[in-house]
Amino acid sequence: MSKNSIFQLASYNIKRTMELDPAAKTKFEVLFIYPHIKALYHYRIAHHFWTRGHHLLARWISNRARHKTGIEIHPGAQIGKGLVIDHGMGVVIGETTIIGDDCQLYHGVTLGGRGSTDVKRHPTLEDGVYVGSGAKILGNITLGAHSKVGANAVVLEDVPAHATAVGLPARNIIKEGR
């Protein structure tokens, strides 16, 4: 997880978006048009207040960002640098979710909980994880570094590093030699 300023994080996110999205033509366009940039900016502000005990204000900021962008990020989530949420609409990131650096999510992804206790109940995504459109990652599970989840998969168990999870429920496909 990064301790950079909100502006350094935004700059890095814009750079990553330009690298990953061939439709992104200019940094200006990414900064002012791409909803995940706005959602992450508001998330960082809300997270600041959340970690200082100002939960109502944090949830209000988070709720406003959801209405503006269609991306719901709980202010209690922990998100590293370089998260790209392509298209974004319908993405939900739960309260105890942990997302490492340089991850990529597509529209309709849910990083959701299983259970209603006050313990870690949402997934952890290690660095470099890719999650396809409509995938549901549920519970206190870990997606290993540089793993991938196929579109519309439902993942209920850990995914090892460099593996790909597909299906309903998802099953792991592990390549030999990795």
Side-chain angles (χ1 to χ4, degrees):
M1 299 289 174
S2 177
K3 297 292 181 193
N4 295 317
S5 78
I6 195 168
F7 301 108
Q8 290 170 319
L9 292 167
S11 178
Y12 186 77
N13 267 66
I14 292 167
K15 176 182 171 278
R16 286 253 314 138
T17 302
M18 295 290 295
E19 292 169 356
L20 294 173
D21 187 354
K25 303 302 181 204
T26 68
K27 291 179 181 180
F28 183 84
E29 173 189 16
V30 172
L31 176 63
F32 289 104
I33 304 298
Y34 280 58
H36 76 279
I37 300 296
K38 293 179 191 133
L40 289 168
Y41 173 78
H42 286 91
Y43 154 77
R44 302 257 182 231
I45 294 169
H47 183 73
H48 171 83
F49 288 114
W50 183 266
T51 59
R52 285 155 182 79
H54 303 287
H55 295 165
L56 179 62
L57 178 57
R59 293 295 300 265
W60 182 80
I61 293 167
S62 173
N63 195 28
R64 297 293 305 146
R66 179 182 54 135
H67 284 286
K68 289 179 179 180
T69 65
I71 299 169
E72 182 174 345
I73 305 174
H74 192 285
Q78 298 175 45
I79 299 175
K81 67 178 185 168
L83 174 62
V84 174
I85 306 173
D86 204 340
H87 297 287
M89 187 59 72
V91 168
V92 177
I93 299 174
E95 177 182 10
T96 61
T97 300
I98 299 171
I99 300 175
D101 294 340
D102 299 327
C103 292
Q104 186 175 10
L105 309 177
Y106 276 84
H107 60 279
V109 167
T110 298
L111 303 177
R114 289 189 351 200
S116 58
T117 62
D118 285 336
V119 298
K120 174 98 168 76
R121 62 190 183 283
H122 297 92
T124 296
L125 282 61
E126 294 180 350
D127 294 347
V129 170
Y130 169 95
V131 183
S133 302
K136 308 301 176 220
I137 318 300
L138 304 175
N140 183 14
I141 61 174
T142 299
L143 304 185
H146 305 284
S147 61
K148 296 178 182 177
V149 176
N152 295 314
V154 176
V155 182
L156 304 174
E157 298 176 358
D158 291 347
V159 177
H162 301 282
T164 300
V166 297
L168 293 156
R171 62 189 188 286
N172 294 323
I173 301 169
I174 300 171
K175 294 180 183 177
E176 295 300 320
R178 278 252 173 180

